[in-house]
PDB file of all heavy atoms in Angstrom:
ATOM      1  N   LEU A  17      30.311 -12.455  40.459  1.00 96.00           N
ATOM      2  CA  LEU A  17      29.646 -13.166  41.551  1.00 96.00           C
ATOM      3  C   LEU A  17      30.614 -14.140  42.221  1.00 96.00           C
ATOM      4  O   LEU A  17      31.389 -14.853  41.596  1.00 96.00           O
ATOM      5  CB  LEU A  17      28.472 -13.929  40.999  1.00 96.00           C
ATOM      6  CG  LEU A  17      27.318 -13.068  40.449  1.00 96.00           C
ATOM      7  CD1 LEU A  17      26.259 -13.950  39.783  1.00 96.00           C
ATOM      8  CD2 LEU A  17      26.678 -12.207  41.520  1.00 96.00           C
ATOM      9  N   ALA A  18      30.597 -14.133  43.564  1.00 94.00           N
ATOM     10  CA  ALA A  18      31.524 -14.950  44.313  1.00 94.00           C
ATOM     11  C   ALA A  18      31.345 -16.428  44.042  1.00 94.00           C
ATOM     12  O   ALA A  18      32.322 -17.222  44.080  1.00 94.00           O
ATOM     13  CB  ALA A  18      31.352 -14.676  45.820  1.00 94.00           C
ATOM     14  N   GLY A  19      30.128 -16.872  43.761  1.00 88.00           N
ATOM     15  CA  GLY A  19      29.879 -18.269  43.524  1.00 88.00           C
ATOM     16  C   GLY A  19      30.098 -18.722  42.080  1.00 88.00           C
ATOM     17  O   GLY A  19      29.883 -19.897  41.749  1.00 88.00           O
ATOM     18  N   GLY A  20      30.411 -17.780  41.228  1.00 92.00           N
ATOM     19  CA  GLY A  20      30.604 -18.110  39.799  1.00 92.00           C
ATOM     20  C   GLY A  20      29.606 -17.294  38.918  1.00 92.00           C
ATOM     21  O   GLY A  20      28.476 -17.123  39.295  1.00 92.00           O
ATOM     22  N   GLY A  21      30.089 -16.867  37.758  1.00 94.00           N
ATOM     23  CA  GLY A  21      29.261 -16.115  36.888  1.00 94.00           C
ATOM     24  C   GLY A  21      29.375 -14.608  37.148  1.00 94.00           C
ATOM     25  O   GLY A  21      30.202 -14.164  37.952  1.00 94.00           O
ATOM     26  N   ASN A  22      28.542 -13.837  36.459  1.00 97.00           N
ATOM     27  CA  ASN A  22      28.574 -12.370  36.638  1.00 97.00           C
ATOM     28  C   ASN A  22      27.199 -11.792  36.561  1.00 97.00           C
ATOM     29  O   ASN A  22      26.259 -12.393  35.989  1.00 97.00           O
ATOM     30  CB  ASN A  22      29.538 -11.738  35.650  1.00 97.00           C
ATOM     31  CG  ASN A  22      29.064 -11.877  34.239  1.00 97.00           C
ATOM     32  OD1 ASN A  22      28.247 -11.111  33.762  1.00 97.00           O
ATOM     33  ND2 ASN A  22      29.621 -12.890  33.495  1.00 97.00           N
ATOM     34  N   LEU A  23      27.087 -10.611  37.102  1.00 98.00           N
ATOM     35  CA  LEU A  23      25.842  -9.833  37.106  1.00 98.00           C
ATOM     36  C   LEU A  23      26.104  -8.458  36.516  1.00 98.00           C
ATOM     37  O   LEU A  23      27.051  -7.777  36.926  1.00 98.00           O
ATOM     38  CB  LEU A  23      25.312  -9.685  38.523  1.00 98.00           C
ATOM     39  CG  LEU A  23      23.969  -8.980  38.738  1.00 98.00           C
ATOM     40  CD1 LEU A  23      22.821  -9.774  38.112  1.00 98.00           C
ATOM     41  CD2 LEU A  23      23.734  -8.748  40.257  1.00 98.00           C
ATOM     42  N   ARG A  24      25.327  -8.080  35.525  1.00 98.00           N
ATOM     43  CA  ARG A  24      25.483  -6.776  34.854  1.00 98.00           C
ATOM     44  C   ARG A  24      24.273  -5.914  35.199  1.00 98.00           C
ATOM     45  O   ARG A  24      23.114  -6.381  34.955  1.00 98.00           O
ATOM     46  CB  ARG A  24      25.638  -6.927  33.344  1.00 98.00           C
ATOM     47  CG  ARG A  24      26.773  -7.934  33.047  1.00 98.00           C
ATOM     48  CD  ARG A  24      26.886  -8.329  31.555  1.00 98.00           C
ATOM     49  NE  ARG A  24      27.575  -9.619  31.444  1.00 98.00           N
ATOM     50  CZ  ARG A  24      27.875 -10.151  30.255  1.00 98.00           C
ATOM     51  NH1 ARG A  24      27.576  -9.504  29.142  1.00 98.00           N
ATOM     52  NH2 ARG A  24      28.474 -11.306  30.222  1.00 98.00           N
ATOM     53  N   VAL A  25      24.474  -4.739  35.689  1.00 98.00           N
ATOM     54  CA  VAL A  25      23.366  -3.904  36.132  1.00 98.00           C
ATOM     55  C   VAL A  25      23.382  -2.565  35.386  1.00 98.00           C
ATOM     56  O   VAL A  25      24.397  -1.872  35.312  1.00 98.00           O
ATOM     57  CB  VAL A  25      23.487  -3.647  37.672  1.00 98.00           C
ATOM     58  CG1 VAL A  25      22.200  -2.993  38.180  1.00 98.00           C
ATOM     59  CG2 VAL A  25      23.771  -4.906  38.418  1.00 98.00           C
ATOM     60  N   ALA A  26      22.244  -2.240  34.811  1.00 98.00           N
ATOM     61  CA  ALA A  26      22.102  -1.007  34.019  1.00 98.00           C
ATOM     62  C   ALA A  26      22.025   0.260  34.899  1.00 98.00           C
ATOM     63  O   ALA A  26      21.501   0.155  36.034  1.00 98.00           O
ATOM     64  CB  ALA A  26      20.885  -1.085  33.119  1.00 98.00           C
ATOM     65  N   ARG A  27      22.512   1.317  34.380  1.00 97.00           N
ATOM     66  CA  ARG A  27      22.455   2.576  35.090  1.00 97.00           C
ATOM     67  C   ARG A  27      20.989   2.950  35.474  1.00 97.00           C
ATOM     68  O   ARG A  27      20.045   2.608  34.704  1.00 97.00           O
ATOM     69  CB  ARG A  27      23.041   3.709  34.309  1.00 97.00           C
ATOM     70  CG  ARG A  27      22.283   4.117  33.049  1.00 97.00           C
ATOM     71  CD  ARG A  27      23.031   5.146  32.239  1.00 97.00           C
ATOM     72  NE  ARG A  27      24.322   4.621  31.733  1.00 97.00           N
ATOM     73  CZ  ARG A  27      25.419   5.309  31.666  1.00 97.00           C
ATOM     74  NH1 ARG A  27      25.429   6.576  32.013  1.00 97.00           N
ATOM     75  NH2 ARG A  27      26.532   4.808  31.197  1.00 97.00           N
ATOM     76  N   GLY A  28      20.802   3.563  36.627  1.00 97.00           N
ATOM     77  CA  GLY A  28      19.485   3.899  37.074  1.00 97.00           C
ATOM     78  C   GLY A  28      18.749   2.788  37.843  1.00 97.00           C
ATOM     79  O   GLY A  28      17.605   2.925  38.139  1.00 97.00           O
ATOM     80  N   SER A  29      19.498   1.720  38.087  1.00 98.00           N
ATOM     81  CA  SER A  29      18.865   0.569  38.800  1.00 98.00           C
ATOM     82  C   SER A  29      19.117   0.646  40.263  1.00 98.00           C
ATOM     83  O   SER A  29      20.020   1.288  40.739  1.00 98.00           O
ATOM     84  CB  SER A  29      19.467  -0.751  38.256  1.00 98.00           C
ATOM     85  OG  SER A  29      19.218  -0.924  36.881  1.00 98.00           O
ATOM     86  N   SER A  30      18.200  -0.040  40.996  1.00 98.00           N
ATOM     87  CA  SER A  30      18.325  -0.096  42.459  1.00 98.00           C
ATOM     88  C   SER A  30      18.008  -1.513  42.878  1.00 98.00           C
ATOM     89  O   SER A  30      17.009  -2.111  42.446  1.00 98.00           O
ATOM     90  CB  SER A  30      17.322   0.872  43.104  1.00 98.00           C
ATOM     91  OG  SER A  30      17.338   0.686  44.526  1.00 98.00           O
ATOM     92  N   PHE A  31      18.891  -2.079  43.710  1.00 98.00           N
ATOM     93  CA  PHE A  31      18.621  -3.481  44.141  1.00 98.00           C
ATOM     94  C   PHE A  31      19.256  -3.673  45.563  1.00 98.00           C
ATOM     95  O   PHE A  31      20.116  -2.899  45.999  1.00 98.00           O
ATOM     96  CB  PHE A  31      19.182  -4.484  43.139  1.00 98.00           C
ATOM     97  CG  PHE A  31      20.695  -4.581  43.078  1.00 98.00           C
ATOM     98  CD1 PHE A  31      21.381  -5.583  43.786  1.00 98.00           C
ATOM     99  CD2 PHE A  31      21.438  -3.687  42.362  1.00 98.00           C
ATOM    100  CE1 PHE A  31      22.772  -5.647  43.731  1.00 98.00           C
ATOM    101  CE2 PHE A  31      22.840  -3.735  42.295  1.00 98.00           C
ATOM    102  CZ  PHE A  31      23.523  -4.729  42.990  1.00 98.00           C
ATOM    103  N   ASP A  32      18.857  -4.745  46.164  1.00 97.00           N
ATOM    104  CA  ASP A  32      19.458  -5.145  47.452  1.00 97.00           C
ATOM    105  C   ASP A  32      19.777  -6.615  47.462  1.00 97.00           C
ATOM    106  O   ASP A  32      19.322  -7.350  46.544  1.00 97.00           O
ATOM    107  CB  ASP A  32      18.605  -4.722  48.627  1.00 97.00           C
ATOM    108  CG  ASP A  32      17.287  -5.485  48.672  1.00 97.00           C
ATOM    109  OD1 ASP A  32      16.359  -5.087  47.984  1.00 97.00           O
ATOM    110  OD2 ASP A  32      17.204  -6.461  49.441  1.00 97.00           O
ATOM    111  N   ILE A  33      20.504  -7.068  48.446  1.00 97.00           N
ATOM    112  CA  ILE A  33      20.981  -8.468  48.542  1.00 97.00           C
ATOM    113  C   ILE A  33      20.457  -9.066  49.827  1.00 97.00           C
ATOM    114  O   ILE A  33      21.057  -8.909  50.887  1.00 97.00           O
ATOM    115  CB  ILE A  33      22.537  -8.513  48.492  1.00 97.00           C
ATOM    116  CG1 ILE A  33      23.062  -7.743  47.269  1.00 97.00           C
ATOM    117  CG2 ILE A  33      23.018  -9.948  48.500  1.00 97.00           C
ATOM    118  CD1 ILE A  33      24.586  -7.603  47.253  1.00 97.00           C
ATOM    119  N   PRO A  34      19.326  -9.748  49.760  1.00 96.00           N
ATOM    120  CA  PRO A  34      18.758 -10.318  51.003  1.00 96.00           C
ATOM    121  C   PRO A  34      19.465 -11.546  51.543  1.00 96.00           C
ATOM    122  O   PRO A  34      19.374 -11.860  52.716  1.00 96.00           O
ATOM    123  CB  PRO A  34      17.296 -10.691  50.597  1.00 96.00           C
ATOM    124  CG  PRO A  34      17.351 -10.850  49.149  1.00 96.00           C
ATOM    125  CD  PRO A  34      18.407  -9.904  48.596  1.00 96.00           C
ATOM    126  N   ASP A  35      20.129 -12.318  50.698  1.00 95.00           N
ATOM    127  CA  ASP A  35      20.920 -13.432  51.108  1.00 95.00           C
ATOM    128  C   ASP A  35      21.985 -13.776  50.100  1.00 95.00           C
ATOM    129  O   ASP A  35      22.113 -13.097  49.102  1.00 95.00           O
ATOM    130  CB  ASP A  35      20.039 -14.718  51.437  1.00 95.00           C
ATOM    131  CG  ASP A  35      19.343 -15.260  50.199  1.00 95.00           C
ATOM    132  OD1 ASP A  35      19.970 -15.532  49.195  1.00 95.00           O
ATOM    133  OD2 ASP A  35      18.127 -15.454  50.281  1.00 95.00           O
ATOM    134  N   ALA A  36      22.806 -14.773  50.358  1.00 93.00           N
ATOM    135  CA  ALA A  36      24.011 -15.031  49.568  1.00 93.00           C
ATOM    136  C   ALA A  36      23.728 -15.437  48.127  1.00 93.00           C
ATOM    137  O   ALA A  36      24.620 -15.385  47.300  1.00 93.00           O
ATOM    138  CB  ALA A  36      24.853 -16.101  50.245  1.00 93.00           C
ATOM    139  N   ASN A  37      22.519 -15.891  47.838  1.00 94.00           N
ATOM    140  CA  ASN A  37      22.180 -16.367  46.496  1.00 94.00           C
ATOM    141  C   ASN A  37      21.069 -15.612  45.870  1.00 94.00           C
ATOM    142  O   ASN A  37      20.477 -16.075  44.846  1.00 94.00           O
ATOM    143  CB  ASN A  37      21.812 -17.868  46.575  1.00 94.00           C
ATOM    144  CG  ASN A  37      23.005 -18.725  47.044  1.00 94.00           C
ATOM    145  OD1 ASN A  37      24.085 -18.663  46.463  1.00 94.00           O
ATOM    146  ND2 ASN A  37      22.795 -19.477  48.083  1.00 94.00           N
ATOM    147  N   THR A  38      20.735 -14.456  46.345  1.00 96.00           N
ATOM    148  CA  THR A  38      19.564 -13.710  45.857  1.00 96.00           C
ATOM    149  C   THR A  38      19.824 -12.196  45.733  1.00 96.00           C
ATOM    150  O   THR A  38      20.502 -11.625  46.603  1.00 96.00           O
ATOM    151  CB  THR A  38      18.405 -13.893  46.842  1.00 96.00           C
ATOM    152  OG1 THR A  38      18.164 -15.285  47.030  1.00 96.00           O
ATOM    153  CG2 THR A  38      17.098 -13.248  46.271  1.00 96.00           C
ATOM    154  N   VAL A  39      19.352 -11.614  44.624  1.00 98.00           N
ATOM    155  CA  VAL A  39      19.260 -10.161  44.543  1.00 98.00           C
ATOM    156  C   VAL A  39      17.806  -9.791  44.330  1.00 98.00           C
ATOM    157  O   VAL A  39      17.054 -10.498  43.671  1.00 98.00           O
ATOM    158  CB  VAL A  39      20.173  -9.582  43.411  1.00 98.00           C
ATOM    159  CG1 VAL A  39      21.627  -9.865  43.670  1.00 98.00           C
ATOM    160  CG2 VAL A  39      19.713 -10.133  42.107  1.00 98.00           C
ATOM    161  N   ARG A  40      17.412  -8.652  44.908  1.00 98.00           N
ATOM    162  CA  ARG A  40      16.062  -8.197  44.789  1.00 98.00           C
ATOM    163  C   ARG A  40      16.043  -6.874  44.046  1.00 98.00           C
ATOM    164  O   ARG A  40      16.579  -5.890  44.531  1.00 98.00           O
ATOM    165  CB  ARG A  40      15.366  -8.035  46.149  1.00 98.00           C
ATOM    166  CG  ARG A  40      13.959  -7.600  46.114  1.00 98.00           C
ATOM    167  CD  ARG A  40      13.301  -7.838  47.470  1.00 98.00           C
ATOM    168  NE  ARG A  40      14.073  -7.349  48.547  1.00 98.00           N
ATOM    169  CZ  ARG A  40      13.960  -7.751  49.826  1.00 98.00           C
ATOM    170  NH1 ARG A  40      13.102  -8.683  50.138  1.00 98.00           N
ATOM    171  NH2 ARG A  40      14.757  -7.237  50.769  1.00 98.00           N
ATOM    172  N   LEU A  41      15.480  -6.869  42.824  1.00 98.00           N
ATOM    173  CA  LEU A  41      15.459  -5.682  41.983  1.00 98.00           C
ATOM    174  C   LEU A  41      14.293  -4.800  42.303  1.00 98.00           C
ATOM    175  O   LEU A  41      13.153  -5.213  42.216  1.00 98.00           O
ATOM    176  CB  LEU A  41      15.408  -6.115  40.514  1.00 98.00           C
ATOM    177  CG  LEU A  41      15.513  -5.026  39.444  1.00 98.00           C
ATOM    178  CD1 LEU A  41      16.830  -4.336  39.491  1.00 98.00           C
ATOM    179  CD2 LEU A  41      15.226  -5.598  38.058  1.00 98.00           C
ATOM    180  N   ALA A  42      14.579  -3.535  42.687  1.00 97.00           N
ATOM    181  CA  ALA A  42      13.499  -2.550  42.965  1.00 97.00           C
ATOM    182  C   ALA A  42      13.186  -1.732  41.771  1.00 97.00           C
ATOM    183  O   ALA A  42      12.014  -1.375  41.568  1.00 97.00           O
ATOM    184  CB  ALA A  42      13.970  -1.675  44.154  1.00 97.00           C
ATOM    185  N   SER A  43      14.176  -1.445  40.943  1.00 97.00           N
ATOM    186  CA  SER A  43      13.950  -0.681  39.727  1.00 97.00           C
ATOM    187  C   SER A  43      15.109  -0.894  38.778  1.00 97.00           C
ATOM    188  O   SER A  43      16.191  -1.279  39.177  1.00 97.00           O
ATOM    189  CB  SER A  43      13.808   0.853  40.058  1.00 97.00           C
ATOM    190  OG  SER A  43      15.019   1.357  40.614  1.00 97.00           O
ATOM    191  N   GLY A  44      14.861  -0.630  37.473  1.00 98.00           N
ATOM    192  CA  GLY A  44      15.919  -0.732  36.496  1.00 98.00           C
ATOM    193  C   GLY A  44      16.001  -2.138  35.859  1.00 98.00           C
ATOM    194  O   GLY A  44      15.018  -2.800  35.712  1.00 98.00           O
ATOM    195  N   GLU A  45      17.238  -2.473  35.463  1.00 98.00           N
ATOM    196  CA  GLU A  45      17.434  -3.678  34.706  1.00 98.00           C
ATOM    197  C   GLU A  45      18.726  -4.397  35.046  1.00 98.00           C
ATOM    198  O   GLU A  45      19.738  -3.673  35.309  1.00 98.00           O
ATOM    199  CB  GLU A  45      17.412  -3.377  33.169  1.00 98.00           C
ATOM    200  CG  GLU A  45      17.553  -4.546  32.257  1.00 98.00           C
ATOM    201  CD  GLU A  45      17.347  -4.175  30.798  1.00 98.00           C
ATOM    202  OE1 GLU A  45      17.266  -2.959  30.487  1.00 98.00           O
ATOM    203  OE2 GLU A  45      17.331  -5.096  29.952  1.00 98.00           O
ATOM    204  N   LEU A  46      18.767  -5.695  35.027  1.00 98.00           N
ATOM    205  CA  LEU A  46      19.980  -6.417  35.260  1.00 98.00           C
ATOM    206  C   LEU A  46      20.029  -7.621  34.335  1.00 98.00           C
ATOM    207  O   LEU A  46      19.019  -8.085  33.792  1.00 98.00           O
ATOM    208  CB  LEU A  46      20.172  -6.797  36.682  1.00 98.00           C
ATOM    209  CG  LEU A  46      19.028  -7.600  37.433  1.00 98.00           C
ATOM    210  CD1 LEU A  46      19.051  -9.064  37.066  1.00 98.00           C
ATOM    211  CD2 LEU A  46      19.216  -7.458  38.949  1.00 98.00           C
ATOM    212  N   TYR A  47      21.246  -8.147  34.193  1.00 98.00           N
ATOM    213  CA  TYR A  47      21.513  -9.308  33.275  1.00 98.00           C
ATOM    214  C   TYR A  47      22.350 -10.295  34.042  1.00 98.00           C
ATOM    215  O   TYR A  47      23.400  -9.947  34.610  1.00 98.00           O
ATOM    216  CB  TYR A  47      22.261  -8.789  32.045  1.00 98.00           C
ATOM    217  CG  TYR A  47      22.715  -9.817  31.044  1.00 98.00           C
ATOM    218  CD1 TYR A  47      21.855 -10.142  29.952  1.00 98.00           C
ATOM    219  CD2 TYR A  47      23.936 -10.426  31.125  1.00 98.00           C
ATOM    220  CE1 TYR A  47      22.308 -11.061  29.007  1.00 98.00           C
ATOM    221  CE2 TYR A  47      24.363 -11.351  30.147  1.00 98.00           C
ATOM    222  CZ  TYR A  47      23.519 -11.666  29.105  1.00 98.00           C
ATOM    223  OH  TYR A  47      23.961 -12.568  28.140  1.00 98.00           O
ATOM    224  N   VAL A  48      21.835 -11.517  34.084  1.00 98.00           N
ATOM    225  CA  VAL A  48      22.514 -12.567  34.833  1.00 98.00           C
ATOM    226  C   VAL A  48      23.234 -13.509  33.804  1.00 98.00           C
ATOM    227  O   VAL A  48      22.587 -13.976  32.921  1.00 98.00           O
ATOM    228  CB  VAL A  48      21.557 -13.384  35.665  1.00 98.00           C
ATOM    229  CG1 VAL A  48      22.230 -14.511  36.444  1.00 98.00           C
ATOM    230  CG2 VAL A  48      20.777 -12.508  36.621  1.00 98.00           C
ATOM    231  N   ASP A  49      24.498 -13.786  34.069  1.00 96.00           N
ATOM    232  CA  ASP A  49      25.271 -14.700  33.236  1.00 96.00           C
ATOM    233  C   ASP A  49      25.884 -15.801  34.122  1.00 96.00           C
ATOM    234  O   ASP A  49      26.863 -15.581  34.825  1.00 96.00           O
ATOM    235  CB  ASP A  49      26.368 -13.920  32.502  1.00 96.00           C
ATOM    236  CG  ASP A  49      27.259 -14.854  31.645  1.00 96.00           C
ATOM    237  OD1 ASP A  49      26.883 -16.035  31.452  1.00 96.00           O
ATOM    238  OD2 ASP A  49      28.281 -14.378  31.146  1.00 96.00           O
ATOM    239  N   ILE A  50      25.239 -16.955  34.145  1.00 93.00           N
ATOM    240  CA  ILE A  50      25.699 -18.106  34.927  1.00 93.00           C
ATOM    241  C   ILE A  50      26.014 -19.213  33.949  1.00 93.00           C
ATOM    242  O   ILE A  50      25.076 -19.974  33.515  1.00 93.00           O
ATOM    243  CB  ILE A  50      24.670 -18.576  35.968  1.00 93.00           C
ATOM    244  CG1 ILE A  50      24.148 -17.405  36.836  1.00 93.00           C
ATOM    245  CG2 ILE A  50      25.263 -19.683  36.820  1.00 93.00           C
ATOM    246  CD1 ILE A  50      25.170 -16.856  37.793  1.00 93.00           C
TER     247      ILE A  50
END
């Protein structure tokens, strides 16, 4: 992540980025490490 930390996204996931500080998960799984 550009602002610090990392994002881990599992295979089969779908997401979009509506703004600089947000992700929107449509399906699957993700892990946020801040």
Side-chain angles (χ1 to χ4, degrees):
L17 295 173
N22 64 83
L23 183 66
R24 308 172 202 184
V25 191
R27 69 184 63 216
S29 300
S30 175
F31 71 98
D32 65 278
I33 306 174
D35 63 53
N37 297 305
T38 305
V39 297
R40 180 166 47 201
L41 183 65
S43 63
E45 182 173 8
L46 54 77
Y47 176 92
V48 179
D49 178 10
I50 310 289

